């Protein structure tokens, strides 16, 4: 039950956590808003880590319930080096460019990203996010890892004991909060499926199998025969980059048909799922596919197969937050824990335009916890979850918002937020998706291809007009 929420903890100072902090602060209702960020900077997953030690990857990786990630350290120079910056590996790679155009990526209160190329590089996006966080930076406790959150219930009221560790000073602290926003992202535990023979193959040919989380540059794939597993955004982009130096054709193993915009390419050979990693006694560095074909002399395999939802700091909460890692259980509107509605999650949906979605989610959370906006009954919330499962299943597609569903979801959140009673703070509500923006949303794949086709000239393109691109209804 939600009662007298005055003290709030936010886990993560990436785009979702910063949006949450801004909306909570604008309510002028809460006494304490503490944002905990284990990295030294805002930006979350957009922080680039040049090294990516793939030796920490288990092959296969099918268990979402992993312990907290241990930081790598940047140390000061000198005879007695001191740890200064904790570093956590992100999936950001050197040449990554956004797959969302700047005019749709921007936040409602900061359009400065539009001064960058239409599809901005990761450095520009990080700079934009750092500027976006400036007005809540005083709330953020950097280099501080949340290692445990425990539910404490008394007199029919939930409270949350948040246990944190100052990573530099190596000191722990426990503080009781009335509510918690989890905005820690879901690019922590990579998925590598348990395909027949993969363990033996990996032992026979160590360092040949990796995951997109650990990809940085194509150089190490030069003149190699490569398989890319997966056909979503990362698989397409990483495969395109690797194909510039690898043996051709690059093999792309796909479970399902590629999106329409991924037209056949001369450098790529589309293959079905890998059915088996063949024993070295049968064939050298070989795999067989679901259609029975065999490819041998494989030098490298990159799994672009996504991530599990993993929240090790919530492991004591009952019922479990995520039993399978494929989705968050007992969740209403992709946002509120049904049994414990003073626990909210920003950023669970995927295949979305994220920054705008986070703003809509944050607007609702802030109004519900300031008692300006009621939640429906527990029965109604569970009915919503049951309906979602009947439509999408109980697996990872539960959080997938495709075919403009993220636009409808965001607009529903805005409508919900606008029903709030008048408060004493700023009425901070992001705008809905306009009709023109929704048309643009449908055209993103075409825009991205037209942008990429310009080669180096693309860096001077900052708008649809510069691209000379016409939106198709």
């Amino acid at each position: 039950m939600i009662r007298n929420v005055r003290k709030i903890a936010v886990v993560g100072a990436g785009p979702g956590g910063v949006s949450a902090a801004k909306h909570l602060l604008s309510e002028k209702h809460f006494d304490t808003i503490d944002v905990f960020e284990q990295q030294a900077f805002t930006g979350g997953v957009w922080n680039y880590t040049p090294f990516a030690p793939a030796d920490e990857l288990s092959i296969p990786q099918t268990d979402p319930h992993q312990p907290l990630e241990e930081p790598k350290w940047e140390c000061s120079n000198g005879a007695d080096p001191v740890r200064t910056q904790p570093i956590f590996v992100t999936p950001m790679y050197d040449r990554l460019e956004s797959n969302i155009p700047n005019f749709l990526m921007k936040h409602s209160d900061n359009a400065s990203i539009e001064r960058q190329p239409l599809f901005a590089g990761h450095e520009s996006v990080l700079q934009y996010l750092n500027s976006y966080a400036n007005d809540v930076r005083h709330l953020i406790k950097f280099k501080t890892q949340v290692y445990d959150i425990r539910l404490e219930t008394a007199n029919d009221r939930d409270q949350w004991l948040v246990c944190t560790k100052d990573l530099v000073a190596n000191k722990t602290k426990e503080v009781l909060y009335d509510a918690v926003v989890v905005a820690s992202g879901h690019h922590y535990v990579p998925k590598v499926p348990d395909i027949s023979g993969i363990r033996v193959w990996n032992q026979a040919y160590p360092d040949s199998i990796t995951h997109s989380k650990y990809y940085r540059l194509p150089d190490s794939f030069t003149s190699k025969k490569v398989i890319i597993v997966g056909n979503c955004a990362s698989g397409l982009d990483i495969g395109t980059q690797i194909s510039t130096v690898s043996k051709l054709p690059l093999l792309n193993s796909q479970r399902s048909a590629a999106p329409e915009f991924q037209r056949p390419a001369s450098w790529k050979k589309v293959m079905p799922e890998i059915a088996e990693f063949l024993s070295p006694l049968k064939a050298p560095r070989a795999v067989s596919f679901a259609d029975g074909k065999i490819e041998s002399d494989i030098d490298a395999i990159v799994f672009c197969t996504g991530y599990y939802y993993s929240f090790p700091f919530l492991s004591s909460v009952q019922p479990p937050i995520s039993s399978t890692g494929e989705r968050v259980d007992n969740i209403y509107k992709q946002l509120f824990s049904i049994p414990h509605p003073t626990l909210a999650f920003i950023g669970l949906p995927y295949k979305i335009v994220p920054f705008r979605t986070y703003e809509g989610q944050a607007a609702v959370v802030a109004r519900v916890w300031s008692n300006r906006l009621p939640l429906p009954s527990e029965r109604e919330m569970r009915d919503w979850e049951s309906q979602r499962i009947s439509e999408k299943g109980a697996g990872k597609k539960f959080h997938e918002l495709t075919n403009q569903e993220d636009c409808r979801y965001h607009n529903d959140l805005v409508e919900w937020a606008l029903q709030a009673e008048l408060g004493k703070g700023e009425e901070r509500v992001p705008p809905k998706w306009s009709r023109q923006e929704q048309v643009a949303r449908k055209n993103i794949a075409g825009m991205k291809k037209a942008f990429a086709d310009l080669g180096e000239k693309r860096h001077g393109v900052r708008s649809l007009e510069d691209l000379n691109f016409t939106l198709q209804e």
Side-chain angles (χ1 to χ4, degrees), residues 51-250:
F51 60 89
D55 57 352
E56 65 186 34
L57 176 66
S58 297
I59 304 294
Q61 173 55 271
T62 59
D63 181 9
H65 305 296
Q66 298 296 312
L68 279 171
E69 186 176 5
E70 292 290 331
K72 314 302 183 277
W73 285 95
E74 180 179 301
C75 298
S76 61
N77 295 322
D80 187 18
V82 176
R83 290 178 169 183
T84 56
Q85 303 280 34
I87 299 171
F88 293 86
V89 176
T90 74
M92 199 58 51
Y93 48 91
D94 286 60
R95 301 172 188 172
L96 183 141
E97 294 175 346
S98 170
N99 59 359
I100 298 168
N102 55 22
F103 65 95
L104 294 182
M105 173 177 268
K106 68 182 180 183
H107 292 94
S108 61
D109 60 341
N110 189 330
S112 64
I113 192 71
E114 292 189 90
R115 296 197 291 268
Q116 302 299 328
L118 186 63
F119 292 91
H122 67 84
E123 305 96 333
S124 298
V125 176
L126 180 60
Q127 182 181 18
Y128 169 72
L129 291 173
N130 283 331
S131 68
Y132 178 66
N134 281 341
D135 53 355
V136 293
R137 196 171 297 275
H138 63 287
L139 303 176
I140 304 172
K141 301 180 187 302
F142 291 104
K143 309 177 191 179
T144 303
Q145 187 175 55
V146 175
Y147 67 87
D148 193 20
I149 298 178
R150 298 196 290 271
L151 176 65
E152 298 196 354
T153 303
N155 300 320
D156 200 28
R157 181 189 179 192
D158 288 349
Q159 287 187 295
W160 303 91
L161 187 67
V162 177
C163 308
T164 61
K165 181 179 182 180
D166 181 322
L167 293 171
V168 175
N170 197 29
K171 293 181 178 179
T172 60
K173 189 175 182 180
E174 297 182 359
V175 178
L176 199 63
Y177 291 88
D178 301 316
V180 173
V181 174
V182 176
S184 54
H186 44 85
H187 294 88
Y188 164 47
V189 181
K191 290 182 181 179
V192 178
D194 188 3
I195 301 170
S196 176
I198 193 171
R199 289 179 172 84
V200 172
W201 209 93
N202 184 61
Q203 291 171 357
Y205 313 117
D207 303 322
S208 297
I209 300 174
T210 188
H211 186 276
S212 58
K213 178 177 180 179
Y214 304 100
Y215 171 80
R216 289 298 176 267
L217 282 166
D219 304 31
S220 62
F221 298 91
T222 299
S223 301
K224 291 183 177 180
K225 186 174 181 179
V226 180
I227 300 176
I228 299 292
V229 181
N231 64 343
C232 289
S234 63
L236 174 64
D237 193 34
I238 291 172
T240 301
Q241 291 188 16
I242 289 176
S243 72
T244 62
V245 299
S246 68
K247 288 182 179 179
L248 298 180
L250 178 142

Side-chain angles (χ1 to χ4, degrees), residues 439-457:
V439 172
R441 174 77 175 89
K442 291 172 63 176
N443 281 258
I444 287 178
M447 288 182 224
K448 179 70 172 178
K449 184 182 185 308
F451 182 80
D453 287 348
L454 292 175
E456 291 302 308
K457 292 181 179 179

Side-chain angles (χ1 to χ4, degrees), residues 275-333:
E276 183 181 2
F277 285 77
L278 298 181
S279 166
L281 300 176
K282 290 183 179 180
R285 307 182 74 97
V287 302
S288 66
F289 294 89
D291 61 0
K293 292 180 180 177
I294 294 175
E295 290 281 349
S296 58
D297 300 317
I298 303 298
D299 296 302
I301 301 174
V302 183
F303 279 90
C304 302
T305 42
Y307 299 81
Y308 290 106
Y309 291 92
S310 183
F311 308 96
F313 49 85
L314 290 170
S315 60
S316 68
V317 177
Q318 295 296 324
I321 298 299
S322 179
S323 54
T324 65
E326 296 290 347
R327 76 173 184 97
V328 171
D329 304 324
N330 302 294
I331 198 81
Y332 176 63
K333 291 282 189 179

